[in-house]
Amino acid sequence: MATSMSTEECARQILEVVPLVMRDIRCELRSLRTAELTVPQFRALFFVSRNIDASLSQVADHMGLTLPSTSRLVDELIKHHLMTRQEHPTDRRRVKLAVTSQGLIILEASRNRTLKYLAEKLERTNCDERRAMVAVMRALRSVFDKTAKQV
Amino acid sequence: MATSMSTEECARQILEVVPLVMRDIRCELRSLRTAELTVPQFRALFFVSRNIDASLSQVADHMGLTLPSTSRLVDELIKHHLMTRQEHPTDRRRVKLAVTSQGLIILEASRNRTLKYLAEKLERTNCDERRAMVAVMRALRSVFDKTAKQV
DNA sequence: TATTGTTATACTCTATAACTATA
DNA sequence: TATAGTTATAGAGTATAACAATA
């Protein structure tokens, strides 16, 4: 071991493997009929559940989307009664987003199911491998998360 | 260190971080005007470039998509002159997919640009971290890749 | 009959451009 | 004038259902 590792080789591996894992997550999120959420819907719902009264801009920023795209995404969630949109009390340009009780139920169900699914897959790994994974996820987050403030 | 690491905690970290990295990859793939490829287009093109005369089913299988979705995806690539679709010589139900020379150019340009982008971001890491990342990517691949045969 | 693929239809993701309303 | 957000429009991803052609 201890041969040097280029950023290029590391990038190659990431570019091959990350979309693979993502595909699996996406499939799983979509598979339960009672809680059909796309990945963007899941992420938006999750963000707002952790950031009560978030504005549209904040969600867009977190998701890396434009405002129109985010507005549409929120439209969908509201149509499905998973989120609400209210006027901001002091700045009438802004909106206050919140997750409905039904949204919370769906969100947690989706999240728990997906986590369970992933955890089951990870049974094939050993403790050392999982520790390495968690360490790597932390490192990747510090590299890729612009906002980098969410715990 | 050497505390045990649960599959659950590991799953949580993966579910938070992988979509983050994926978003970045997607943005970068889309950002160059001359070589606009979506992630699915990139993956399909890449697969066919490495598996000459692949059938539609093989691509669908690799991508984890249904046949109709894959057919549409290939339609797009053909419309943009990046791929060709021919009849299989001995089994006329099947198609033979191939990447055009222009497709290869676009593919390699996109791939190199994205790799370079990722590699630059990874400059912030050190050699040990990158070795850990590569090891983890290998482990994730063995967990998440159904086909698990591609090198 | 089983396999390979396409077409029809519908919904979502996402962007840019143009717009409205408020600060 | 700058900021927050929506609407209009368009192209792509993706699924299910129904279908055609070949083995």
Side-chain angles (χ1 to χ4, degrees), chain A residues 3-7 10 139 142-143, chain B residues 121-134:
Chain A
T3 61
S4 80
M5 174 57 67
S6 67
T7 55
C10 191
S142 82
V143 172
Chain B
K121 286 214 154 192
L122 290 169
E123 302 265 327
R124 293 169 50 182
T125 61
N126 63 43
C127 213
D128 284 341
E129 288 174 308
R130 292 196 293 274
R131 261 200 301 281
M133 284 181 185
V134 170

Side-chain angles (χ1 to χ4, degrees), chain A residues 3-5 7 13 16 20 22-24 62-64 115 119 124 127 130-131 136 141-142 144-145, chain B residues 3-5 7 13 16 20 22-24 62-64 119 124 127 130-131 136 141-142 144-145:
Chain A
T3 61
S4 80
M5 174 57 67
T7 55
Q13 296 306 318
E16 274 194 50
L20 210 65
M22 200 59 207
R23 177 185 77 183
D24 228 51
H62 171 74
M63 310 255 314
L115 286 175
R124 293 169 51 184
C127 213
R130 292 196 293 274
R131 261 199 301 279
V136 161
R141 185 200 302 252
S142 82
F144 286 97
D145 191 349
Chain B
T3 60
S4 79
M5 175 56 69
T7 54
Q13 296 306 318
E16 274 194 49
L20 211 63
M22 198 60 206
R23 178 186 76 184
D24 228 51
H62 169 75
M63 310 257 313
R124 293 169 50 182
C127 213
R130 292 196 293 274
R131 261 200 301 281
V136 161
R141 185 199 302 252
S142 82
F144 287 97
D145 192 349

Side-chain angles (χ1 to χ4, degrees), chain A residues 34-111:
Chain A
T34 59
E36 271 192 296
L37 285 178
T38 64
V39 170
Q41 288 172 348
F42 175 85
R43 298 220 319 135
L45 214 49
F46 188 72
F47 177 79
V48 174
S49 79
R50 262 68 177 173
N51 296 273
I52 192 64
D53 292 345
S55 71
L56 196 70
S57 298
Q58 287 172 323
V59 178
D61 209 53
H62 171 74
M63 310 255 314
L65 296 177
T66 61
L67 276 173
S69 298
T70 311
S71 188
R72 282 299 173 81
L73 184 55
V74 167
D75 282 347
E76 288 301 317
L77 290 167
I78 289 169
K79 199 167 71 186
H80 295 345
H81 307 102
L82 306 179
M83 199 181 270
T84 60
R85 175 163 41 193
Q86 295 183 355
E87 245 180 29
H88 191 280
T90 68
D91 185 342
R92 293 186 54 208
R93 293 172 306 182
R94 298 182 51 184
V95 297
K96 272 174 42 176
L97 299 172
V99 177
T100 65
S101 54
Q102 192 192 339
L104 261 186
I105 291 168
I106 298 282
L107 174 63
E108 290 310 316
S110 289
R111 180 168 157 81

Side-chain angles (χ1 to χ4, degrees), chain B residues 60-124:
Chain B
D61 210 52
H62 169 75
M63 310 257 313
L65 297 178
T66 61
L67 277 172
S69 298
T70 311
S71 188
R72 281 300 174 81
L73 184 56
V74 167
D75 283 347
E76 287 302 317
L77 290 167
I78 289 170
K79 197 167 72 184
H80 295 346
H81 309 102
L82 306 178
M83 200 181 269
T84 60
R85 176 163 40 193
Q86 294 184 355
E87 249 181 26
H88 192 280
T90 66
D91 184 342
R92 294 186 53 210
R93 294 172 306 182
R94 298 182 51 183
V95 296
K96 272 174 43 176
L97 299 173
V99 177
T100 65
S101 54
Q102 193 192 339
L104 261 186
I105 291 167
I106 299 281
L107 175 63
E108 291 310 318
S110 289
R111 180 169 155 78
N112 290 335
R113 188 171 42 83
T114 304
L115 286 175
K116 189 177 166 210
Y117 172 77
L118 292 177
E120 271 166 18
K121 286 214 154 192
L122 290 169
E123 302 265 327
R124 293 169 50 182

